[in-house]
Amino acid sequence: QVQLVESGGGLVQPGGSLRLSCAASGTIYEINTMGWYRQAPGKERELVATISSSGSITDAESMKGRFTISRDNAKMTVYLQMSSLKPEDTAVYYCYATIATSRVNWSRGYWGQGTQVTVSS
């Protein structure tokens, strides 16, 4: 009943930029935190950045200054602007959001299906 749909992944050269988007849809009463995680081959899923409904950001130290998270609450969409991309940024990027589906339900976490980002020359 809740879907998170990512877009914007692809192949980019080192030093390039990409912008990921993730739109939430379905039966949604309230969206709290939205964010991005990534998982490289053979590695565990790791935090990229999250942003609260009020705009408070938590982001990974290794990506500070290169990645910027933002959200449009009216569009129920979170964005990840990535610049100065490196080969080690290659991973599947997953959207995550904590969503309440009604006034009486607790928020729970939802994941998108993931979008591949490949940084290679």
Side-chain angles (χ1 to χ4, degrees), residues 9-49:
L11 173 65
V12 63
Q13 292 187 342
S17 299
L18 277 177
R19 188 192 195 209
L20 306 183
S21 300
C22 171
S25 63
T27 305
I28 296 172
Y29 172 73
E30 182 179 64
I31 302 176
N32 299 305
T33 298
M34 300 187 83
W36 295 93
Y37 289 73
R38 71 183 186 183
Q39 188 166 19
K43 295 188 176 181
E44 293 186 353
R45 193 170 297 189
E46 64 174 347
L47 169 72
V48 176

Side-chain angles (χ1 to χ4, degrees), residues 34-115:
M34 300 187 83
W36 295 93
Y37 289 73
R38 71 183 186 183
Q39 188 166 19
K43 295 188 176 181
E44 293 186 353
R45 193 170 297 189
E46 64 174 347
L47 169 72
V48 176
T50 62
I51 182 168
S52 72
S53 56
S54 61
S56 177
I57 292 172
T58 299
D59 52 2
E61 193 66 32
S62 62
M63 293 164 241
K64 282 184 185 291
R66 298 191 300 123
F67 291 7
T68 302
I69 190 170
S70 61
R71 68 188 276 177
D72 184 328
N73 290 329
K75 295 182 178 180
M76 299 192 294
T77 299
V78 63
Y79 305 96
L80 185 68
Q81 179 67 48
M82 304 184 292
S83 59
S84 301
L85 284 161
K86 306 174 183 180
E88 51 264 42
D89 294 317
T90 295
V92 178
Y93 284 70
Y94 294 92
C95 178
Y96 176 81
T98 53
I99 295 172
T101 55
S102 76
R103 182 172 168 270
V104 299
N105 287 348
W106 291 103
S107 294
R108 54 152 286 195
Y110 292 85
W111 291 95
Q113 80 285 358
T115 185

